[in-house]
Amino acid sequence: MRVVFNRKKKLIATLLLLITIGGIYSFSENDKYFQIAKNLDIFAAFYRELNTYYVDDLPPEKLMRKGIDAMLEETDPFTDFVAEENLDDLKFMATGKYGGVGASIYTNGEWTTITDVYEGSPMDKAGVKAGDIIVSMDGKSCKNLAQEDVSRQLKGAAGTPLVMVLRNPVTGKETTRNIMREEINVKSVSYSGVVKGDIGYIKMTQFTENSGAMVREAVAKLKQSNPNLKGVILDLRGNPGGLLDEAVIVANVFIDKNKLIVSTKGKVKNWDRGYETADQPVDTKLPLAVLTNHSSASASEIVAGSIQDMDRGVIIGQRSYGKGLVQTTRPLPYNSKLKVTTAKYYTPSGRCIQAIDYSHRNDDGSADYVPDSLRKTFATLNGRAVKDGGGIEPDTKVDPTYISQVAITLLRKQFIFDFATEYYYKHPTIAAAPTFALTDTDFGDFERYLENKDYSYKTRSEEALDSFRNTAKKEKYYEGITKELSELEEKMRHDKKQDLLKNKTEIKRLLEEEIVNRYYLQKGRIAKSLDWDNEVIAAVNTLHNPTLYKQLLSKK
């Protein structure tokens, strides 16, 4: 019995020692969870005392929101707090759906103008046209109303009515429109068609629910209606991404079943997983070109990266954004949400294309791009070298197209938009979108339209000269170079009329796109723009050249 009793005492002593050690370890100052609990206590006590004794009343919601925003500054830009009133925005990002009337607006001065009407939307059904001015909604004047306030009134639950008074921009006649709000579904495939007679073209604007099914359907229809199809262009330029699952489904349209498209890895290892294609593809042989630019991000990069890693197609355009982070929404009290980055994603070759390192900050708190020295090299299926840490590098680089300063000014001041409105009311019909073209006489009308308009602007060179002049004054060099600066300024002085003629081709194209949009809406605008789109032209040339296409996909 004594032996047993002694053993029990030793066992109890050992357990007490382990509990004591464990307790010291668990609640050590260095322990992460203790630090969290400690600082939460301090934070709560601090707020309680501040709220109780501060001389003035403090708004609790505003104060707490500032605290949340301060915490979020330590994370990446994609981690965010979503208040209950903003849940519709979160839903729209995932589904592409919202309750409203289906139109875009622009407020300039006193009034708000309809700039775009979505095909098949309540606005379209009611006969509302781009250029119409919103006078009132539900009996309340919209004069001097902020654009955000007008937009808020246009939105609403599907099935709710809206009475609008609209003014014709040319005749000034006011008309009442009774509109019933609907669930607006902004389609992720905004256009699909054929370029140059035998190249399919599909434009994707986002990755929301059913995006993959839409792309699958578009490719199938293109193949069915064009038996001699030589290739397909998938345009992901300006596409900010969206749902990861939909990116896998889109890739599956061109990549065989049971192939790894992307894998995710984060701090919570149980959440790590690989995403494989689940269905039979539509086509694995048809030559494919994917267009990207610096605004192609997230899910767009998953599709482009998997197609590049598997040598299924060529990437054309500019380097993509470089967002290799995955967000998950977590529920919070009072119907709010936390959208939090939980993992990084990796393409089939094993590379993470995340370009900005948010885990290591500069002294000023800013985050920097991953330096070239830290970027690793991976290999595609054919052995081509690809790198991580910098987005998706295109196989064929095409310089971005920049429009002139005069064109920017004409767009910003709505002169191109307003001329298109006048043109629409003077011409009941026009040619089909791809073939429509303004004549020199039409452009002459535009020049006369601008005669009494102020579209003055400073060129980039003039802005640079102004900056140099200010710097020279601060550094006491200005007096010695005044003459030279004046001579240079005189040489650079631009003539608005000459700038208009010098950039005639570019401005005509912008006018044609805006005019076509009045008759054929967004699909017409896209169809018209394909004629002079440099990236599309490069893709068509590549897909028409089987030898070049194979060379681009071969190991260098």
XYZ file of all heavy atoms in Angstrom, residues 27-103:
624
model
N 0.425 31.400 -20.033
C 0.142 32.788 -19.721
C 1.405 33.625 -19.653
O 1.446 34.660 -19.014
C -0.640 32.865 -18.399
C -1.992 32.226 -18.499
C -2.200 30.942 -18.042
C -3.038 32.896 -19.104
C -3.440 30.353 -18.165
C -4.282 32.305 -19.226
C -4.488 31.028 -18.754
N 2.443 33.144 -20.326
C 3.672 33.915 -20.393
C 3.442 35.208 -21.153
O 2.599 35.291 -22.033
C 4.753 33.092 -21.096
O 5.825 33.920 -21.483
N 4.212 36.255 -20.774
C 4.105 37.556 -21.449
C 4.378 37.419 -22.937
O 3.905 38.217 -23.729
C 5.102 38.538 -20.815
C 4.695 39.063 -19.463
C 3.696 40.191 -19.567
O 3.762 40.952 -20.537
O 2.834 40.291 -18.689
N 5.196 36.409 -23.289
C 5.574 36.241 -24.691
C 4.540 35.442 -25.469
O 4.644 35.305 -26.677
C 6.941 35.550 -24.786
C 8.037 36.414 -24.198
O 8.011 37.633 -24.338
N 8.978 35.784 -23.503
N 3.589 34.881 -24.772
C 2.603 34.062 -25.468
C 1.633 34.947 -26.255
O 1.080 35.914 -25.737
C 1.820 33.206 -24.476
C 0.860 32.282 -25.183
O 1.306 31.254 -25.707
O -0.323 32.619 -25.241
N 1.426 34.556 -27.510
C 0.612 35.372 -28.417
C -0.808 35.580 -27.912
O -1.332 36.702 -27.903
C 0.590 34.692 -29.785
C -0.269 35.388 -30.814
C -0.231 34.603 -32.100
C -1.156 35.228 -33.137
N -1.178 34.437 -34.377
N -1.439 34.514 -27.442
C -2.836 34.616 -27.049
C -3.004 35.394 -25.747
O -4.004 36.087 -25.550
C -3.455 33.220 -26.947
C -3.501 32.548 -28.292
C -2.590 31.562 -28.630
C -4.448 32.932 -29.235
C -2.613 30.975 -29.880
C -4.475 32.349 -30.502
C -3.554 31.364 -30.804
O -3.575 30.797 -32.043
N -2.008 35.283 -24.883
C -2.043 36.103 -23.672
C -1.936 37.581 -24.039
O -2.632 38.428 -23.476
C -0.910 35.708 -22.726
C -0.802 36.627 -21.535
C -1.752 36.596 -20.521
C 0.232 37.543 -21.450
C -1.656 37.460 -19.443
C 0.323 38.411 -20.376
C -0.618 38.365 -19.357
N -1.056 37.881 -24.993
C -0.897 39.264 -25.433
C -2.199 39.814 -26.015
O -2.565 40.966 -25.785
C 0.230 39.363 -26.461
C 1.625 39.176 -25.901
C 2.018 40.324 -24.978
O 1.602 41.443 -25.165
N 2.817 40.009 -23.971
N -2.893 38.970 -26.778
C -4.177 39.400 -27.349
C -5.173 39.710 -26.250
O -5.803 40.775 -26.224
C -4.729 38.319 -28.303
C -3.841 38.189 -29.546
C -6.173 38.650 -28.712
C -4.216 37.027 -30.440
N -5.322 38.760 -25.279
C -6.271 38.951 -24.180
C -5.908 40.180 -23.349
O -6.777 40.984 -22.978
C -6.298 37.704 -23.299
N -4.624 40.329 -23.074
C -4.151 41.468 -22.273
C -4.501 42.796 -22.948
O -5.052 43.714 -22.321
C -2.637 41.350 -22.080
C -1.978 42.576 -21.474
C -0.467 42.417 -21.456
C 0.213 43.732 -21.086
N 1.688 43.604 -21.124
N -4.204 42.903 -24.240
C -4.423 44.165 -24.939
C -5.894 44.450 -25.195
O -6.298 45.615 -25.253
C -3.624 44.185 -26.237
C -2.144 44.430 -25.989
O -1.740 45.554 -25.701
N -1.336 43.380 -26.071
N -6.703 43.402 -25.329
C -8.147 43.614 -25.434
C -8.700 44.184 -24.132
O -9.563 45.071 -24.139
C -8.859 42.308 -25.784
C -8.780 41.865 -27.247
C -9.394 40.484 -27.428
C -9.482 42.871 -28.162
N -8.187 43.676 -23.007
C -8.598 44.217 -21.700
C -8.216 45.683 -21.571
O -9.005 46.515 -21.112
C -7.951 43.413 -20.566
C -8.647 42.075 -20.342
O -9.761 41.913 -20.858
O -8.069 41.203 -19.664
N -6.980 45.993 -21.985
C -6.507 47.376 -21.916
C -7.365 48.268 -22.816
O -7.776 49.368 -22.420
C -5.022 47.472 -22.326
C -4.142 46.775 -21.280
C -4.590 48.931 -22.492
C -2.688 46.630 -21.701
N -7.650 47.775 -24.027
C -8.434 48.553 -24.987
C -9.834 48.847 -24.437
O -10.322 49.984 -24.488
C -8.543 47.794 -26.310
C -9.287 48.534 -27.388
C -8.647 49.472 -28.171
C -10.646 48.306 -27.612
C -9.327 50.172 -29.156
C -11.336 48.997 -28.593
C -10.665 49.939 -29.375
N -10.484 47.798 -23.872
C -11.834 47.975 -23.323
C -11.829 48.943 -22.152
O -12.698 49.820 -22.043
C -12.400 46.621 -22.902
N -10.840 48.790 -21.274
C -10.744 49.679 -20.107
C -10.462 51.113 -20.547
O -11.035 52.073 -19.994
C -9.655 49.180 -19.162
N -9.580 51.272 -21.532
C -9.243 52.603 -22.042
C -10.483 53.290 -22.604
O -10.763 54.459 -22.293
C -8.170 52.474 -23.130
C -7.815 53.782 -23.782
C -6.883 54.633 -23.213
C -8.428 54.172 -24.969
C -6.565 55.836 -23.813
C -8.125 55.381 -25.573
C -7.182 56.209 -24.993
N -11.245 52.559 -23.416
C -12.445 53.158 -24.003
C -13.471 53.497 -22.928
O -14.107 54.564 -22.965
C -13.069 52.223 -25.036
C -14.372 52.770 -25.564
C -14.389 53.876 -26.419
C -15.597 52.231 -25.168
C -15.579 54.415 -26.876
C -16.790 52.765 -25.619
C -16.771 53.855 -26.484
O -17.948 54.396 -26.916
N -13.629 52.594 -21.948
C -14.595 52.833 -20.876
C -14.263 54.115 -20.111
O -15.123 54.963 -19.864
C -14.622 51.637 -19.928
C -15.654 51.759 -18.816
C -15.723 50.493 -17.960
N -14.453 50.225 -17.306
C -13.660 49.195 -17.614
N -14.011 48.360 -18.576
N -12.534 49.009 -16.964
N -12.984 54.271 -19.738
C -12.568 55.452 -18.989
C -12.669 56.722 -19.845
O -13.100 57.774 -19.369
C -11.131 55.272 -18.489
C -10.936 54.115 -17.519
C -11.754 54.281 -16.247
O -11.716 55.384 -15.657
O -12.468 53.321 -15.859
N -12.253 56.617 -21.101
C -12.318 57.775 -22.000
C -13.766 58.222 -22.181
O -14.082 59.413 -22.105
C -11.698 57.414 -23.348
C -11.679 58.521 -24.416
C -10.737 59.647 -23.996
C -11.238 57.953 -25.768
N -14.653 57.278 -22.427
C -16.056 57.587 -22.651
C -16.714 58.168 -21.399
O -17.575 59.044 -21.477
C -16.799 56.325 -23.099
C -18.249 56.606 -23.447
O -18.538 57.340 -24.384
N -19.164 56.032 -22.674
N -16.284 57.699 -20.232
C -16.891 58.138 -18.967
C -16.458 59.545 -18.577
O -17.284 60.371 -18.161
C -16.533 57.151 -17.839
O -16.983 55.843 -18.199
C -17.195 57.575 -16.526
N -15.164 59.829 -18.757
C -14.632 61.055 -18.168
C -14.275 62.153 -19.178
O -13.995 63.280 -18.761
C -13.403 60.720 -17.318
C -13.752 59.845 -16.147
C -13.353 58.509 -16.107
C -14.506 60.351 -15.077
C -13.687 57.696 -15.046
C -14.847 59.538 -14.005
C -14.441 58.214 -13.990
O -14.783 57.414 -12.935
N -14.273 61.851 -20.475
C -13.919 62.900 -21.437
C -14.965 64.007 -21.400
O -16.158 63.755 -21.238
C -13.800 62.316 -22.848
C -13.302 63.329 -23.862
C -12.003 63.808 -23.793
C -14.153 63.828 -24.841
C -11.544 64.754 -24.708
C -13.711 64.766 -25.758
C -12.401 65.230 -25.676
O -11.961 66.174 -26.574
N -14.518 65.243 -21.578
C -15.362 66.404 -21.357
C -16.567 66.473 -22.305
O -17.626 66.961 -21.950
C -14.519 67.705 -21.465
C -13.960 67.882 -22.866
C -15.330 68.929 -21.055
N -16.416 65.982 -23.530
C -17.501 65.993 -24.513
C -17.953 64.578 -24.827
O -17.222 63.608 -24.603
C -17.045 66.675 -25.810
C -16.696 68.140 -25.597
O -17.419 68.813 -24.847
O -15.686 68.596 -26.191
N -19.171 64.476 -25.387
C -19.668 63.160 -25.803
C -18.879 62.662 -27.011
O -18.573 63.431 -27.929
C -21.153 63.243 -26.175
C -22.028 63.366 -24.937
O -21.569 62.966 -23.847
O -23.166 63.862 -25.061
N -18.582 61.376 -27.000
C -17.848 60.758 -28.099
C -18.763 59.765 -28.807
O -19.347 58.896 -28.154
C -16.597 60.037 -27.585
C -15.542 60.924 -26.921
C -14.496 60.065 -26.224
C -14.886 61.825 -27.946
N -18.907 59.862 -30.144
C -19.770 58.908 -30.873
C -19.138 57.522 -30.900
O -18.067 57.327 -31.500
C -19.847 59.509 -32.282
C -18.632 60.384 -32.404
C -18.298 60.868 -31.039
N -19.736 56.520 -30.274
C -19.123 55.196 -30.158
C -18.827 54.535 -31.500
O -17.749 53.988 -31.715
C -20.152 54.376 -29.363
C -21.199 55.312 -28.924
C -21.036 56.594 -29.639
N -19.804 54.579 -32.434
C -19.622 53.898 -33.712
C -18.463 54.498 -34.503
O -17.626 53.776 -35.060
C -20.919 53.983 -34.527
C -20.860 53.171 -35.816
C -22.190 53.153 -36.550
O -23.183 53.665 -36.005
O -22.225 52.638 -37.668
N -18.396 55.825 -34.523
C -17.324 56.506 -35.247
C -15.967 56.186 -34.637
O -14.990 55.924 -35.351
C -17.574 58.011 -35.229
C -16.583 58.824 -36.044
C -16.945 60.302 -36.010
C -15.937 61.121 -36.822
N -16.269 62.572 -36.768
N -15.912 56.189 -33.293
C -14.651 55.928 -32.596
C -14.166 54.499 -32.859
O -12.988 54.262 -33.146
C -14.854 56.148 -31.095
C -13.712 56.813 -30.328
C -13.421 58.193 -30.881
C -14.042 56.902 -28.847
N -15.087 53.540 -32.761
C -14.725 52.136 -32.973
C -14.318 51.876 -34.422
O -13.416 51.095 -34.697
C -15.885 51.225 -32.571
C -16.113 51.153 -31.082
S -14.641 50.517 -30.222
C -15.123 50.779 -28.523
N -15.012 52.547 -35.353
C -14.669 52.352 -36.762
C -13.251 52.846 -37.048
O -12.522 52.233 -37.828
C -15.683 53.073 -37.650
C -15.463 52.819 -39.145
C -15.493 51.325 -39.459
N -14.968 51.038 -40.753
C -15.729 50.882 -41.852
N -17.026 51.011 -41.756
N -15.186 50.611 -43.007
N -12.870 53.949 -36.379
C -11.495 54.440 -36.539
C -10.495 53.425 -36.002
O -9.419 53.237 -36.570
C -11.327 55.786 -35.833
C -11.908 56.958 -36.595
C -11.517 58.284 -35.970
C -12.016 59.459 -36.817
N -11.613 60.759 -36.249
N -10.861 52.768 -34.904
C -9.985 51.734 -34.346
C -9.835 50.553 -35.282
O -8.735 50.027 -35.479
N -10.956 50.150 -35.902
C -10.915 49.051 -36.871
C -10.061 49.432 -38.071
O -9.227 48.658 -38.542
C -12.347 48.673 -37.302
C -13.099 48.004 -36.151
C -12.322 47.751 -38.520
C -14.572 47.768 -36.419
N -10.283 50.649 -38.586
C -9.517 51.111 -39.748
C -8.021 51.156 -39.449
O -7.195 50.839 -40.311
C -10.002 52.497 -40.182
C -11.390 52.457 -40.802
O -11.819 51.363 -41.203
O -12.037 53.519 -40.880
N -7.664 51.548 -38.221
C -6.251 51.593 -37.829
C -5.655 50.192 -37.820
O -4.514 49.991 -38.256
C -6.107 52.247 -36.459
N -6.421 49.203 -37.349
C -5.937 47.817 -37.366
C -5.748 47.320 -38.796
O -4.780 46.633 -39.115
C -6.913 46.905 -36.627
C -6.776 46.934 -35.119
S -7.752 45.641 -34.319
C -9.356 46.430 -34.250
N -6.698 47.695 -39.675
C -6.640 47.233 -41.056
C -5.446 47.814 -41.810
O -5.012 47.244 -42.813
C -7.942 47.588 -41.790
C -9.187 46.805 -41.343
C -10.435 47.373 -41.996
C -9.037 45.320 -41.679
N -4.918 48.944 -41.335
C -3.743 49.530 -41.985
C -2.525 48.614 -41.897
O -1.590 48.733 -42.688
C -3.415 50.887 -41.346
C -4.382 51.991 -41.742
C -4.046 53.321 -41.078
O -2.988 53.381 -40.402
O -4.817 54.278 -41.235
N -2.538 47.688 -40.939
C -1.423 46.748 -40.780
C -1.566 45.533 -41.685
O -0.687 44.670 -41.712
C -1.332 46.288 -39.319
C -1.019 47.410 -38.334
C 0.307 48.078 -38.645
O 1.304 47.361 -38.864
O 0.347 49.324 -38.678
N -2.694 45.427 -42.393
C -2.934 44.274 -43.268
C -2.786 44.706 -44.728
O -2.317 45.795 -45.024
C -4.339 43.698 -43.023
O -5.324 44.647 -43.476
C -4.560 43.414 -41.547
N -3.229 43.841 -45.635
C -3.216 44.194 -47.058
C -4.509 44.935 -47.403
O -5.460 44.951 -46.611
C -3.075 42.928 -47.919
C -4.190 41.923 -47.655
O -5.356 42.258 -47.932
O -3.901 40.821 -47.160
N -4.575 45.550 -48.579
C -5.768 46.342 -48.940
C -7.025 45.510 -49.161
O -8.120 46.075 -49.272
C -5.349 47.024 -50.254
C -3.886 46.863 -50.357
C -3.538 45.642 -49.602
N -6.879 44.198 -49.242
C -8.015 43.338 -49.569
C -8.718 42.810 -48.320
O -9.797 42.234 -48.415
C -7.546 42.176 -50.447
C -6.620 42.616 -51.546
C -5.270 42.312 -51.518
C -7.095 43.385 -52.594
C -4.409 42.738 -52.514
C -6.250 43.827 -53.594
C -4.902 43.506 -53.554
N -8.102 42.986 -47.163
C -8.747 42.637 -45.900
C -9.538 43.847 -45.435
O -8.993 44.943 -45.330
C -7.692 42.239 -44.850
O -7.033 41.040 -45.278
C -8.328 42.006 -43.495
N -10.836 43.636 -45.155
C -11.680 44.805 -44.901
C -12.845 44.445 -43.992
O -13.247 43.281 -43.883
C -12.215 45.345 -46.238
C -12.704 46.781 -46.147
O -12.482 47.422 -45.102
O -13.299 47.260 -47.119
N -13.357 45.467 -43.321
C -14.561 45.350 -42.513
C -15.749 45.774 -43.379
O -15.718 46.826 -44.019
C -14.464 46.256 -41.278
C -15.755 46.397 -40.513
C -16.233 45.355 -39.738
C -16.490 47.570 -40.579
C -17.428 45.477 -39.032
C -17.684 47.707 -39.874
C -18.150 46.656 -39.097
N -16.782 44.943 -43.419
C -17.959 45.236 -44.233
C -19.138 45.448 -43.296
O -19.636 44.493 -42.680
C -18.262 44.099 -45.233
C -19.437 44.484 -46.118
C -17.035 43.779 -46.071
N -19.569 46.701 -43.178
C -20.716 47.017 -42.330
C -22.008 46.504 -42.968
O -22.062 46.242 -44.170
C -20.795 48.523 -42.107
N -23.050 46.367 -42.153
C -24.322 45.809 -42.638
C -24.853 46.571 -43.845
O -25.350 45.968 -44.797
C -25.353 45.837 -41.510
C -26.690 45.236 -41.892
C -27.688 45.257 -40.747
O -27.421 45.936 -39.741
O -28.739 44.586 -40.868
N -24.700 47.902 -43.835
C -25.255 48.706 -44.928
C -24.489 48.516 -46.235
O -24.961 48.942 -47.302
C -25.271 50.190 -44.563
C -23.929 50.790 -44.243
C -23.581 50.745 -42.767
O -24.143 49.887 -42.043
O -22.751 51.559 -42.329
N -23.312 47.881 -46.176
C -22.511 47.668 -47.386
C -22.535 46.219 -47.864
O -21.771 45.854 -48.758
C -21.063 48.097 -47.136
C -20.940 49.585 -46.867
O -21.688 50.376 -47.422
N -20.009 49.963 -46.012
N -23.404 45.412 -47.279
C -23.449 43.993 -47.658
C -23.885 43.800 -49.105
O -23.493 42.831 -49.753
C -24.384 43.221 -46.724
C -23.849 42.944 -45.307
C -24.876 42.172 -44.498
C -22.530 42.179 -45.351
N -24.692 44.727 -49.619
C -25.121 44.617 -51.019
C -23.924 44.705 -51.959
O -23.890 44.035 -53.004
C -26.130 45.710 -51.358
C -27.514 45.416 -50.795
O -27.750 44.263 -50.403
O -28.340 46.347 -50.739
N -22.944 45.544 -51.609
C -21.734 45.656 -52.432
C -20.971 44.343 -52.433
O -20.449 43.915 -53.468
C -20.835 46.785 -51.909
C -21.490 48.152 -52.043
O -22.374 48.296 -52.907
O -21.118 49.065 -51.287
N -20.907 43.689 -51.251
C -20.217 42.399 -51.146
C -20.960 41.342 -51.964
O -20.342 40.531 -52.660
C -20.127 41.979 -49.675
C -19.240 40.777 -49.354
C -17.778 41.102 -49.663
C -19.377 40.380 -47.882
N -22.276 41.381 -51.901
C -23.082 40.432 -52.679
C -22.866 40.643 -54.171
O -22.745 39.675 -54.937
C -24.557 40.609 -52.329
C -25.499 39.712 -53.131
C -26.955 40.040 -52.842
C -27.874 39.224 -53.752
N -29.300 39.578 -53.574
N -22.809 41.909 -54.584
C -22.613 42.207 -56.007
C -21.270 41.670 -56.494
O -21.159 41.154 -57.607
C -22.694 43.713 -56.233
C -22.384 44.124 -57.647
C -23.255 43.825 -58.682
C -21.212 44.797 -57.952
C -22.977 44.181 -59.996
C -20.920 45.166 -59.254
C -21.799 44.863 -60.279
N -20.220 41.789 -55.670
C -18.905 41.289 -56.047
C -18.924 39.785 -56.284
O -18.195 39.275 -57.137
C -17.879 41.637 -54.963
C -17.550 43.121 -54.882
S -16.566 43.533 -53.415
C -15.110 42.526 -53.705
N -19.763 39.072 -55.535
C -19.813 37.615 -55.656
C -20.774 37.138 -56.732
O -20.517 36.145 -57.408
C -20.195 36.998 -54.308
N -21.889 37.869 -56.900
C -22.934 37.378 -57.790
C -23.088 38.181 -59.070
O -23.641 37.684 -60.050
C -24.295 37.389 -57.061
O -24.648 38.750 -56.756
C -24.227 36.573 -55.777
N -22.636 39.453 -59.049
C -22.858 40.325 -60.194
C -24.292 40.804 -60.270
O -24.720 41.344 -61.289
N -25.041 40.656 -59.166
C -26.458 41.020 -59.164
C -26.736 42.118 -58.144
O -26.119 42.166 -57.085
C -27.318 39.797 -58.842
C -27.183 38.654 -59.835
C -27.978 37.439 -59.379
C -27.793 36.267 -60.343
N -28.506 35.060 -59.874
N -27.681 42.983 -58.481
C -28.140 44.004 -57.540
C -29.541 44.444 -57.946
O -29.970 44.242 -59.081
C -27.188 45.205 -57.513
C -27.189 46.040 -58.776
C -27.990 47.179 -58.879
C -26.403 45.689 -59.876
C -27.996 47.942 -60.047
C -26.408 46.449 -61.032
C -27.212 47.573 -61.106
O -27.235 48.329 -62.258
N -30.271 45.047 -57.037
C -31.600 45.545 -57.345
C -31.515 46.967 -57.863
O -30.937 47.837 -57.212
N -32.093 47.216 -59.045
C -31.994 48.554 -59.606
C -32.660 48.668 -60.951
O -33.558 47.888 -61.299
N -32.197 49.645 -61.737
C -32.849 49.961 -63.013
C -31.977 49.640 -64.229
O -32.456 49.669 -65.359
C -33.276 51.440 -63.046
C -34.337 51.714 -61.977
C -32.071 52.359 -62.857
N -30.661 49.395 -64.010
C -29.798 48.998 -65.115
C -29.289 50.134 -65.966
O -29.525 50.162 -67.180
N -28.611 51.088 -65.329
C -28.056 52.213 -66.077
C -26.854 52.789 -65.331
O -26.738 52.637 -64.112
C -29.098 53.299 -66.300
